Amino acid sequence: MDFLTLFLIYLCFVLAVTALLCLCSGRKESFLARSVNRASQVLSLVIPTQVQRVTHQALHRLFHTRSCLFMVLHIALQAAVFGEYTWEVFVYCWELQFPLLLLLLPYLLLAGNMGCFLLCSRANPGIITKSNAASLVKVYAYDGMLFQRGLVCPTCSVEKPARSKHCSVCRTCVHRFDHHCVWVNNCIGASNAGLFLLYLLSLTATAGAIAAVTAAFLIQVLLLSNIMHSTYLDAQGQEHTVEIPLLIQHLFLTFPRVVFMLGFVILLTLVLGGYSSFSLYLALTNQTTNEWCKSRRFGGFPHLASQPHDRPLVYKNIYSKGIWRNLKEIFKPPTVLERKKK
């Protein structure tokens, strides 16, 4: 039971850290950010300067420059999971006469996910250039709060259209900028937001399908072994019925790699499911991650000239057009001509 307890604690810890990161990500001066800054200041007193410099350069190269490292890691994790699924789960389930369509479902979802992954990583997210900046300015209206008219990007030297942002990683301005995703090594913008949403949903479905088939296999093993109706003797010689923790420990001793993979894909399904739900919410309300974060920090924005100082500013999303039209816009971004017709 020691390993099982540690494994459950590990899963709970990772989930708690992930939830904490999600909750604190939109706060400019969050408790998490202050804690990290203080911890780095304390560590800087004991870590040699040369080591700090090398670590800083490595982290900067990893998270602030375009790199294929996370793409390779993404493919490696999928290869490891599907390798284990094929080597053990698929073979055993085939012997147990599971439906073939159920066993092939993860592979079908993987094919769709890899297609969205490749298209999203290679697509132009909506890079703003001097040749298209004037036309892109006419696509979205300026709300006067998150986006102001007449601002020029100091790096690209172009007028910034509404809902755009300069990406320091790609070193370009992106139209309807959402965020830079290290996993696809590309920005998410107007032209590939729909592909990214499909990528997230298919990845969540793939992990969920593997978890469901693997769990069904392990349950079938327990039913066939009839261990659920067995008893055991403890150290004092007393007889007890087999409980769920002991069943999990028995499965881990029998199929250690399968149980570990199941725990990993369940955790992955929960994390991806939460992020996919958040991305779907943004799509249905016609918001980007950048706009959602900015709107949460809007209390620090200066007052507009036309706004009374005694009345607090309230952000209103002017880009939402209803659920159906918002979702349609993700997959078919509006053009200048479409806006003129409206």
Side-chain angles (χ1 to χ4, degrees), residues 329-340:
E329 185 174 309
I330 294 296
F331 298 97
K332 187 182 178 182
T335 63
V336 182
L337 295 177
E338 288 176 349
R339 188 174 175 224
K340 284 182 177 180

Side-chain angles (χ1 to χ4, degrees), residues 47-48 54 81 90 98 153 186 230 245 247 289 329 334 339:
I47 298 178
V54 172
V81 170
F90 185 91
F98 273 57
C153 176
N186 199 3
S230 304
L247 292 176
T289 304
E329 185 174 309
R339 188 174 175 224

Side-chain angles (χ1 to χ4, degrees), residues 20-21 23-41 297:
L20 184 62
L21 289 173
L23 289 174
C24 298
S25 60
R27 299 180 182 178
K28 190 173 182 179
E29 294 293 337
S30 64
F31 170 78
L32 182 62
R34 292 195 302 268
S35 300
V36 171
N37 290 332
R38 291 172 183 173
S40 61
Q41 292 174 0
R297 300 195 301 260

Side-chain angles (χ1 to χ4, degrees), residues 167-243:
C167 177
S168 59
V169 179
C170 297
R171 300 177 182 178
T172 57
C173 286
V174 178
H175 189 227
R176 199 186 182 278
F177 178 86
D178 191 276
H179 71 289
H180 180 88
C181 180
V182 296
W183 296 104
V184 300
N185 195 27
N186 199 3
C187 282
I188 308 302
S191 301
N192 63 349
L195 287 172
F196 182 74
L197 182 61
L198 292 177
Y199 159 74
L200 277 180
L201 294 175
S202 60
L203 187 60
T204 306
T206 304
I210 293 179
V213 175
T214 305
F217 159 66
L218 294 177
I219 292 174
Q220 186 69 11
V221 168
L222 292 177
L223 294 176
L224 293 176
S225 64
N226 204 30
I227 193 176
M228 300 176 66
H229 303 287
S230 304
T231 59
Y232 69 96
L233 298 178
D234 60 12
Q236 288 75 30
Q238 296 181 351
E239 186 176 10
H240 299 276
T241 57
V242 177
E243 299 176 349

Side-chain angles (χ1 to χ4, degrees), residues 280-291:
L280 188 59
Y281 160 75
L282 293 180
L284 295 177
T285 56
N286 206 333
Q287 297 183 79
T288 65
T289 304
N290 177 53
E291 293 165 1

